Amino acid sequence: MMVRSLLAALLLHLLPASVDGALYSKLWGRNGELWDPKGPLPDFSYAGYKQGNEPLPVPPVTRSVLTFRKAGMSDTKMFKAALAWAHSQPVTDEFIVLFVPAGRYTLTERLWIKRSRLVLRGAGSANTVLYIPKSLRGIYGPNPHNMPKGSYVNTDGFVTIQGSDRKGKQAARVNKFAEKGSVWVQVNDAADLKVGTYYDLLFQDVAGKFNSYMFDNLWKAEARYNGATRVKLTTKVVAIRGNRVQIERHLPYEIRSKLNVVTFHKPPNTVEDSGIEGLTFSFKWSWYAGHHLEDGWNAVEVSKSRNCWVRDIHTINADSSVLVNDASMVTVAGLQIAASKTRANHFPNAYHERADTDGHWGVQYMHSFDLLVRDFVVISSLMHDVGTGSSGKWGVFMNGVMADGNMDLHRALAGPTLYTNIDAGIGTNALYSGGPSTSGPNALAGTTWWNIRSRVATRPPNSKPGEARCAFGPAVNLVGVNLIPSRARTMCSTWHYERAVDFPGNLYEAQYARRMRSAAADRQ
């Protein structure tokens, strides 16, 4: 019953809003006329598969996984045989779609998608169920990459899209100053650049200065990240004039000697155009092991890949539902997260970690860029419902409904991220975030909450009790958010807050529509 009511609420919130008598934000206006690419509000309109320029593919079925079953073969061996066949086929422009008919299948090992244009498709999350009786720890033992705890905290899933590279060959280096918001840069040599082609602009910190700049120079970034920044802006080259290059996206940061080093890179040779869809991951019920002690009841991971998707996925009793690591331009659509009964407990564990929720992450993206998560429902109680891990940037979470959820920024140069048109439910900890204080502020400048609803007024963004007001991040935007008035009056003075803005209800959609209008005008 609760699932149906939350889904009904989501559908209601997706209805077009009336603009009559609407109040508009100073950061946007009615149709984006007040938006400034040099200002405090980033352009999030490039999030998701193919940067929103193409819809998610729906290619025809190639084969049913049932055709690979032999006498006495388990469900898991059948899946592995189907995937082995798919990986043995030459990679072409055509998709391979492995169909999983309606039914209940038992999965006792991980499944891997390691080639482009490979889709694992169920008959819909309501019809195709993968039952998983043992956790990753139960099958493979402690996680060797997270010792001594051996837990599966932010990585690994039972079905994983696994690429190989996140960085392509360098094509050029920017060698002159460019201001924030510009679309023109000068490079040392444009010979390897081509108009109409997409490149990754990689920003490298110099002596910690760029890291602090990403806080609008209102906070000094932690020294541990000096020189180790991961910032990737994927953009199309639209014109070349000698060694001057015009890109499609506005520069989110200025480029300056002794601040950063910025280089153009060709797309990496990795997995693209692969997807996981139409499945329910039903994990055997167990008590939650505790925060950072996760046993690995993890559903989906997308790693070191680009232009991939996760669609119509439901999870039951998961530690983490979708983890996106070192990936770009990924769409997660139609995700529902629930538990068959509460997994929360207060049992003592070896590291005295909390276990009073149903799981760890709903969706997290880390060292990843341009993620789009839309149309999600979170019924479970989680440590972090949806959020941004280390170095995640320009991600969008939108059109979501949660029972009593939070929208997390997890420190370590996380953000900017946009949360928009989300019903946080009760709202007890809607803007609460985690992460170790040794990793610096929770959010980089430009992180934005826009049209966030809750039944009760919520506290401003916060994390560790007792930290200074701006320690969350000194330059964030809160627009159309119901904050506790007394707390709002004492929050960080450099935050941008507008309480009563009601249009546009979905900032991503407004930014995307503006970009499409601009592109159409340029073609005329």
Side-chain angles (χ1 to χ4, degrees):
M1 190 69 178
M2 187 175 187
V3 174
R4 290 198 296 270
S5 63
L6 283 171
L7 288 172
L10 174 59
L11 292 173
L12 178 63
H13 294 146
L14 293 177
L15 293 174
S18 171
V19 299
D20 294 335
L23 298 174
Y24 305 108
S25 170
K26 298 175 183 176
L27 297 178
W28 185 252
R30 180 166 186 160
N31 292 305
E33 68 278 3
L34 299 182
W35 181 70
D36 181 0
K38 301 177 185 178
L41 182 63
D43 181 359
F44 294 101
S45 69
Y46 292 86
Y49 175 81
K50 297 291 179 75
Q51 297 188 335
N53 296 318
E54 298 178 23
L56 290 181
V58 189
V61 169
T62 306
R63 288 194 184 184
S64 166
V65 296
L66 297 182
T67 63
F68 296 89
R69 188 188 290 279
K70 296 181 180 179
M73 181 179 279
S74 69
D75 292 339
T76 299
K77 288 182 178 180
M78 175 188 69
F79 281 118
K80 292 179 71 176
L83 287 166
W85 171 82
H87 285 94
S88 71
Q89 304 306 301
V91 177
T92 68
D93 290 337
E94 300 297 321
F95 284 87
I96 292 178
V97 178
L98 295 176
F99 179 62
V100 188
R104 183 180 175 91
Y105 306 83
T106 299
L107 189 59
T108 57
E109 295 182 43
R110 294 184 70 176
L111 303 179
W112 300 87
I113 294 174
K114 295 185 177 182
R115 58 157 283 165
S116 295
R117 288 175 286 286
L118 174 56
V119 180
L120 184 65
R121 176 188 295 164
S125 57
N127 301 309
T128 302
V129 177
L130 303 182
Y131 173 66
I132 301 170
K134 285 189 177 182
S135 67
L136 292 173
R137 184 192 286 267
I139 299 168
Y140 301 105
N143 183 352
H145 303 293
N146 188 27
M147 299 303 286
K149 292 182 178 180
S151 48
Y152 294 81
V153 181
N154 299 314
T155 62
D156 302 283
F158 269 89
V159 181
T160 295
I161 298 175
Q162 179 66 59
S164 56
D165 298 305
R166 60 173 177 258
K167 182 178 179 180
K169 182 180 178 182
Q170 182 173 319
R173 176 175 55 84
V174 180
N175 63 356
K176 283 197 175 182
F177 170 82
E179 65 179 355
K180 176 181 177 181
S182 175
V183 294
W184 284 95
V185 297
Q186 179 158 317
V187 300
N188 61 324
D189 187 352
D192 284 343
L193 300 178
K194 183 179 179 181
V195 172
T197 300
Y198 285 86
Y199 297 89
D200 293 332
L201 267 68
L202 302 186
F203 290 70
Q204 182 68 42
D205 168 72
V206 175
K209 294 180 181 178
F210 179 61
N211 293 337
S212 296
Y213 168 88
M214 289 191 289
F215 289 111
D216 280 357
N217 287 320
L218 296 170
W219 197 279
K220 186 176 181 180
E222 297 296 310
R224 64 190 292 193
Y225 301 116
N226 288 3
T229 306
R230 294 188 190 180
V231 175
K232 179 191 295 184
L233 184 80
T234 301
T235 185
K236 182 167 62 176
V237 168
V238 297
I240 299 176
R241 304 285 186 267
N243 283 333
R244 295 185 69 238
V245 179
Q246 184 182 11
I247 59 176
E248 184 178 27
R249 298 173 75 167
H250 295 276
L251 285 175
Y253 305 116
E254 71 176 41
I255 301 173
R256 175 164 44 89
S257 175
K258 299 182 180 180
L259 175 73
N260 49 28
V261 176
V262 180
T263 47
F264 282 79
H265 290 255
K266 296 179 180 180
N269 182 21
T270 192
V271 173
E272 295 195 61
D273 281 300
S274 290
I276 302 166
E277 58 188 41
L279 299 166
T280 284
F281 291 76
S282 179
F283 297 98
K284 180 181 178 181
W285 182 89
S286 65
W287 295 112
Y288 177 43
H291 194 215
H292 292 175
L293 296 176
E294 288 76 15
D295 286 328
W297 302 101
N298 298 345
V300 172
E301 181 184 26
V302 181
S303 177
K304 293 184 180 178
S305 53
R306 51 203 284 138
N307 290 319
C308 293
W309 69 90
V310 179
R311 173 169 50 190
D312 183 25
I313 295 295
H314 291 190
T315 66
I316 302 171
N317 302 327
D319 282 343
S320 293
S321 292
V322 180
L323 299 170
V324 180
N325 295 308
D326 290 301
S328 298
M329 297 168 290
V330 171
T331 291
V332 178
L335 175 67
Q336 180 178 298
I337 302 169
S340 57
K341 62 179 179 178
T342 184
R343 304 177 67 213
N345 64 86
H346 296 280
F347 301 145
N349 56 57
Y351 292 93
H352 307 289
E353 293 282 2
R354 289 175 52 200
D356 55 347
T357 65
D358 295 322
H360 191 201
W361 283 102
V363 183
Q364 185 206 36
Y365 78 116
M366 181 168 64
H367 302 307
S368 298
F369 308 91
D370 296 327
L371 169 75
L372 175 62
V373 181
R374 60 178 173 83
D375 309 334
F376 60 92
V377 177
V378 183
I379 301 166
S380 298
S381 167
L382 302 174
M383 290 286 179
H384 322 290
D385 290 67
V386 292
T388 310
S390 175
S391 296
K393 286 174 176 54
W394 304 302
V396 174
F397 295 84
M398 72 178 198
N399 299 345
V401 177
M402 300 181 280
D404 188 15
N406 61 65
M407 293 153 280
D408 189 281
L409 273 296
H410 220 65
R411 305 181 187 260
L413 305 179
T417 292
L418 170 65
Y419 301 95
T420 184
N421 193 33
I422 294 174
D423 187 333
I426 297 172
T428 306
N429 290 301
L431 305 182
Y432 173 81
S433 294
S437 57
T438 54
S439 297
N442 290 83
L444 288 176
T447 290
T448 301
W449 293 266
W450 189 291
N451 185 22
I452 305 300
R453 298 174 297 280
S454 57
R455 269 179 263 166
V456 300
T458 192
R459 291 174 291 177
N462 65 98
S463 48
K464 186 177 180 181
E467 285 189 327
R469 285 175 295 176
C470 296
F472 185 90
V476 301
N477 305 311
L478 299 117
V479 177
V481 182
N482 182 23
L483 298 181
I484 300 170
S486 61
R487 296 290 187 93
R489 287 191 291 269
T490 59
M491 66 185 178
C492 181
S493 61
T494 52
W495 292 355
H496 180 93
Y497 179 47
E498 297 177 88
R499 183 187 188 92
V501 170
D502 52 22
F503 188 85
N506 186 314
L507 178 64
Y508 164 82
E509 291 181 348
Q511 289 190 328
Y512 180 82
R514 183 184 185 279
R515 175 160 72 92
M516 292 298 103
R517 289 195 302 270
S518 178
D522 289 343
R523 289 192 295 267
Q524 293 179 352

